[in-house]
Amino acid sequence: MADKVEAFVRDVVVPYEQDTRRDHHNAPTDELLMDMRVHARAAGVLTPHIRPDGTHLSQRETAVILIRSGLSPLGPLACNTCAPDEGNMYLIGHVGSPDLKERFLKPLVEGTARSAFFMTEPAEWQGAGSDPSMMKTTCRKDGNHWVVNGRKTFITGALGAKVGIVMAASAEEDTKGGACMFLVDLPDEAIRIDEIPNTIDSSMPGGHATLTIDNLRIPADQMLGNPGEGFKYAQIRLSPARLSHCMRWLGCCIRAQEIAADYACRRTAFGKTLIDHEGVGFMLAENCILIQQCELMIDWCGTVLDSGSLGTVESSMAKVSVSEALMKIADNCVQVMGGTGVTGRTIVEQVFREIRAFRIYDGPTEVHKWSLAKKIKRDWKQANSQLTA
């Protein structure tokens, strides 16, 4: 399957990189997305990480496929392995009831709908960002419905999405301040998009919206899982979603490395090809090493997740390691290509921008390091208390 995905991305998707069907944020339009998915469906590579019976491939198997789908920034969109849909499909598949899966998951797996995950909130509102416990969007029970009010920001793909997962802090006493998750049909007049800012990245349809939720009424049977357990379900989604980001963007950097190496082997300066200049050759050599390290880190973390562990610590380590390594790879590729590297003549410039954003998405590097430092302290205290005893 991975070989089929790679062939499809290289032969069919790559030519679409020059397609002008882009919005005013330079993101691919839904028309372009659905056009590519027609070909993916015909080629048998649409949603390749989910089996026909609805079960998911293992994380290690998923990695092999998602890395190949990422060989073009458009590849994950075409193959339906993109964020946030891939993570949302994983979550609904693991937590959703049969009825919710039929209604909300099926169109996502079939690639006929996009989705959005409503979690993060505006900084000026002092809402939840990297710290989900700061969530200010609330939900309260009203008969056989829940009513949600609040604000959300950086909601990827909200414009044009047909399925939404809304997360809100519960105002009900029996949930002990926990959060709830709801599945909703989109668009909904109670969800108002206030702004879609221009961002450094441009690969995701619909952009990253800031929006207001005003008395959104949701039937109780559209709750995902149980009341008050939303943060637990977020953890189920979080580690695999972090890792799949690593997979897709590693694919992009592998392609950028190919383009930069081709440029360096063809371009001459100061009497020889660029690759023969040590400064250039060493950057490309460093990239080879970093790509191999990323592949191994992803495979290691995938093994942990496949064992049944939440992999919170391991996914933090993988996210930091891979995102920082990919940033160096992308930067080296731009540098090797000089002026050409900062133009839109190849995808190298876009990959550099996308990777810069990735260092923030799904938790900034600093938050993950802080979390790991807390674990080091906990482990130290435990070890020393045992010695004292």
Side-chain angles (χ1 to χ4, degrees), residues 38-171:
V38 168
H39 297 290
R41 191 174 289 108
V45 295
L46 188 69
T47 325
H49 59 294
I50 298 180
R51 300 183 183 91
D53 64 0
T55 59
H56 286 246
L57 298 181
S58 71
Q59 288 297 309
R60 295 183 70 208
E61 292 168 334
T62 298
V64 177
I65 289 175
L66 263 62
I67 290 171
R68 309 285 187 94
S69 74
L71 288 167
S72 167
L74 294 175
L77 297 175
C79 296
N80 200 25
T81 60
C82 58
D85 295 340
E86 183 267 334
N88 290 342
M89 286 187 278
Y90 183 89
L91 177 61
I92 299 171
H94 281 73
V95 180
S97 66
D99 288 343
L100 291 178
K101 289 179 183 179
E102 177 66 23
R103 180 176 168 187
F104 293 101
L105 179 59
K106 185 177 179 181
L108 295 180
V109 173
E110 292 175 347
T112 58
R114 289 195 293 103
S115 63
F117 189 74
F118 296 76
M119 182 173 178
T120 51
E121 298 171 339
E124 65 272 16
W125 196 47
Q126 296 300 314
S130 297
D131 182 359
S133 69
M134 295 171 62
M135 187 167 295
K136 296 179 68 176
T137 298
T138 60
C139 60
R140 61 177 177 81
K141 194 83 177 289
D142 183 20
N144 62 348
H145 284 72
W146 288 76
V147 180
V148 179
N149 283 281
R151 300 179 65 196
K152 297 292 181 180
T153 194
F154 224 82
I155 307 306
T156 303
L159 181 64
K162 295 181 180 178
V163 174
I165 300 178
V166 177
M167 193 166 179
S170 175

Side-chain angles (χ1 to χ4, degrees), residues 201-270:
D201 61 333
S202 58
S203 66
M204 302 193 182
H208 309 289
T210 297
L211 49 89
T212 298
I213 303 175
D214 185 11
N215 287 323
L216 173 65
R217 294 185 62 83
I218 307 172
D221 61 4
Q222 288 178 213
M223 180 178 287
L224 191 57
N226 298 316
E229 296 187 359
F231 289 128
K232 182 179 78 172
Y233 303 142
Q235 288 297 323
I236 292 174
R237 182 188 187 278
L238 191 58
S239 292
R242 281 180 194 153
L243 196 60
S244 61
H245 275 315
C246 294
M247 300 169 191
R248 289 183 293 264
W249 273 311
L250 173 57
C252 273
C253 279
I254 289 172
R255 173 95 178 288
Q257 168 77 349
E258 293 173 357
I259 294 170
D262 181 74
Y263 183 89
C265 289
R266 294 177 185 274
R267 181 80 162 106
T268 59
F270 304 102

Side-chain angles (χ1 to χ4, degrees), residues 21-23 25-34 36-37 73-74 76-78 82-85 114-116 155-161 196 201-209 350 354:
R21 284 175 288 180
R22 304 273 176 159
D23 65 16
H25 301 285
N26 203 37
T29 63
D30 282 311
E31 180 186 1
L32 173 56
L33 179 148
M34 291 303 173
M36 293 189 295
R37 287 188 179 177
L74 294 175
L77 297 175
C82 58
D85 295 340
R114 289 195 293 103
S115 63
I155 307 306
T156 303
L159 181 64
I196 302 179
D201 61 333
S202 58
S203 66
M204 302 193 182
H208 309 289
Q350 181 185 355
E354 302 285 339

